[in-house]
Amino acid sequence: MASDGFPVSNSTLPFWRTDLHEFDSHRTTPELPAESNIVIIGAGFSGSSLAHHIYENNPSPPSVTILEAREACSGATGRNGGHMKPDVYFNVPKYIKKYGVKAAVEVAAFEASQVFDIKALVEKENIDCNFVLSRACDVVLDAGMAKESHDAFLKLRESGVADLKDVYHAYGKEAEQLSGVKGALSCFTFTAGHLWPYKLVLHLLKGAINKGANLQTHTPRGSIKAKKVLLASNGYTAKIAPQFKDHIVPVRGICSRIVPDETRKAPFLPYSYSLRHGPSIIIVGGARVKFWTDPSHWYNVTDDSKLIEARQVWTGIMGYSSDFMPHVGEVPGKPGRMVLAGFSGHGMPLIFRSAKGVVNMLLHGTRFEETGVPLVFQATQERLDSSKNEILQGGHGKVNTAKL
Ligand SMILES: Cc1cc2nc3c(=O)[nH]c(=O)nc-3n(C[C@H](O)[C@H](O)[C@H](O)COP(=O)(O)OP(=O)(O)OC[C@H]3O[C@@H](n4cnc5c(N)ncnc54)[C@H](O)[C@@H]3O)c2cc1C
């Protein structure tokens, strides 16, 4: 690992950060305030959503300071693919096996609802963030995987436990036709969104600052006393809260922007695509199958100044949780400290509502069970005591752990 576990200062440049907002390197006051009721660590989608909910419909908000190691939204949120793609079917069978039907269905419904929360927010606040409500299209090109996903989907549909009315599945010839992807053997479409995440986050931060929040980018800058500390520090969380070591692991991911040359007309893509592991691979972000076998590229890495195998692209640090569920709520055994992290490369459809749950616990004493956040997301001592690490168990292919 080239960095010391904190965000590095020479990160790769993501496309989303090429048109910077006036608050990108903002410091509301020249000096760090000596104290603040609430300190939020991290100014990505998690930190900005927490700040947004604290001020939403709140006539007497507490004082809030947001600390950001680099520029605002310079972490994973400023480096992802811009997709807000709920998982409404893919992992549901796995979660049923692991957590039972009720919990699995709760997670899927929670994911699906957030796209509409963001749509409503964008419309209400007239946010210029290129948000488009669309259909996602998961395309499977590998024969074995296509059959497996087809069988699993039919079984799930027959069971009648999950809400699949928004999911359309095509298998065989129709998959190619529906997806428009040559060689597609199976595909699934469902409601999703895509947006320019940096613009959304900066809008939320600006809104909070206008209502009294103090944003301090480019820390460290001294000391601050706080009654409550909210960890929205994603893959870097374990560095400041060591109980999350091996539970929220920094994992490096990759993304790219492809611009067709001027002589070619870019085809209209009706969907937000995911292409799953076929012989012909288009590398538009993800591309895990290419580098996943060597974990030294990605596991426990906080250095987003280097690329993985390719050029003209950028990297970002995700916070993978060892059981693939985020850690939300009070940090076990640490009163006054709360966490919203570990979204395992899938935070866009989960963070906004989870942040609302944390703020309701914080400001109104709401019990976790009453927040509407799936119970399996709760940060518990039991999860921290577990030594299981599902990340290295090869959820995305065989991993050579000897390379760690
Ligand atoms: C390449 C890539 C592809 C992705 N693809 C998808 C996808 O397809 N779908 C999806 O839903 N999600 C995807 N994600 C994940 C998604 O971007 C994250 O889940 C989400 O952005 C996490 O938001 P966050 O605010 O928790 O973390 P971040 O955006 O990482 O924000 C955390 C912030 O905390 C700051 N920080 C950390 N430690 C400290 C400290 N000690 N002091 C001060 N500041 C600190 C960091 O600098 C950072 O700005 C992808 C991520 C990457 C990198």
Side-chain angles (χ1 to χ4, degrees):
M1 189 165 52
S3 74
D4 61 359
F6 286 114
V8 301
S9 57
N10 59 337
S11 56
T12 47
L13 179 67
F15 164 70
W16 311 115
R17 292 191 41 80
T18 50
D19 181 12
L20 297 181
H21 189 277
E22 55 179 317
F23 283 4
D24 190 65
S25 287
H26 179 81
R27 286 174 180 173
T28 308
T29 52
E31 302 300 326
L32 206 59
E35 53 185 44
S36 184
N37 291 142
I38 297 171
V39 162
I40 299 172
I41 303 180
F45 193 25
S46 293
S48 60
S49 298
L50 288 166
H52 169 84
H53 290 302
I54 290 172
Y55 287 102
E56 181 82 336
N57 303 324
N58 192 347
S60 49
S63 56
V64 176
T65 302
I66 307 163
L67 303 179
E68 170 51 55
R70 301 191 293 207
E71 299 84 10
C73 199
S74 57
T77 315
R79 297 166 178 279
N80 64 29
H83 297 293
M84 187 164 280
K85 228 185 94 185
D87 179 359
V88 284
Y89 77 96
F90 186 68
N91 277 310
V92 176
K94 189 171 107 190
Y95 295 160
I96 288 177
K97 241 188 228 158
K98 199 169 155 194
Y99 298 111
V101 169
K102 192 166 172 265
V105 169
E106 190 186 14
V107 172
F110 185 77
E111 298 215 6
S113 62
Q114 187 163 237
V115 177
F116 294 100
D117 283 5
I118 298 299
K119 177 179 178 285
L121 177 76
V122 166
E123 285 167 357
K124 183 176 157 215
E125 302 201 3
N126 200 13
I127 306 174
D128 170 19
C129 66
N130 303 62
F131 179 85
V132 176
L133 185 72
S134 64
R135 299 276 298 168
C137 185
D138 288 353
V139 179
V140 190
L141 298 142
D142 174 80
M145 209 178 178
K147 170 96 177 69
E148 208 181 296
S149 62
H150 173 67
D151 290 348
F153 183 75
L154 292 190
K155 224 168 134 191
L156 184 64
R157 197 161 63 187
E158 270 164 35
S159 74
V161 295
D163 181 357
L164 298 173
K165 63 177 177 294
D166 183 49
V167 186
Y168 186 78
H169 173 48
Y171 188 56
K173 269 209 160 346
E174 195 200 347
E176 210 175 64
Q177 211 174 26
L178 180 70
S179 65
V181 176
K182 198 158 188 286
L185 299 171
S186 167
C187 79
F188 300 84
T189 72
F190 48 95
T191 300
H194 57 86
L195 75 162
W196 192 308
Y198 174 83
K199 290 185 183 176
L200 173 64
V201 166
L202 268 293
H203 172 94
L204 295 177
L205 289 173
K206 188 176 176 178
I209 292 162
N210 287 342
K211 289 176 181 166
N214 188 322
L215 171 63
Q216 293 287 325
T217 60
H218 300 285
T219 56
R221 320 199 32 241
S223 312
I224 180 166
K225 271 193 188 161
K227 289 202 177 96
K228 304 276 181 189
V229 176
L230 312 186
L231 305 172
S233 39
N234 195 23
Y236 309 95
T237 302
K239 187 67 188 177
I240 46 176
Q243 58 272 62
F244 290 101
K245 185 173 179 306
D246 299 329
H247 296 287
I248 299 179
V249 179
V251 162
R252 185 163 52 188
I254 195 162
C255 220
S256 65
R257 176 175 183 248
I258 296 172
V259 183
D261 82 51
E262 283 163 13
T263 59
R264 287 167 206 228
K265 205 165 179 281
F268 171 73
L269 298 179
Y271 302 115
S272 299
Y273 285 95
S274 268
L275 304 186
R276 291 213 158 100
H277 310 295
S280 55
I281 290 176
I282 297 179
I283 303 177
V284 191
R288 269 191 288 237
V289 73
K290 283 288 193 197
F291 62 82
W292 197 259
T293 50
D294 180 354
S296 64
H297 280 310
W298 55 271
Y299 188 81
N300 205 16
V301 174
T302 46
D303 185 358
D304 52 10
S305 71
K306 292 193 176 64
L307 299 175
I308 303 172
E309 283 204 350
R311 274 169 229 159
Q312 307 292 319
V313 294
W314 62 88
T315 56
I317 305 305
M318 304 175 277
Y320 264 50
S321 126
S322 53
D323 58 10
F324 283 108
M325 288 297 162
H327 289 267
V328 178
E330 269 185 20
V331 177
K334 295 278 177 193
R337 205 176 291 186
M338 302 186 93
V339 62
L340 179 67
F343 289 92
S344 307
H346 184 62
M348 299 313 287
L350 299 175
I351 287 172
F352 194 67
R353 274 206 176 188
S354 299
K356 191 173 186 177
V358 169
V359 169
N360 281 335
M361 291 172 76
L362 183 75
L363 299 185
H364 310 300
T366 309
R367 288 171 50 241
F368 189 95
E369 296 75 9
E370 291 159 359
T371 58
V373 178
L375 271 181
V376 290
F377 290 7
Q378 187 172 13
T380 62
Q381 192 59 48
E382 193 189 345
R383 290 176 71 196
L384 295 183
D385 287 343
S386 168
S387 56
K388 244 175 127 184
N389 183 335
E390 295 179 31
I391 312 166
L392 290 171
Q393 283 171 4
H396 302 292
K398 199 170 178 324
V399 176
N400 183 354
T401 45
K403 292 202 175 189
L404 276 176

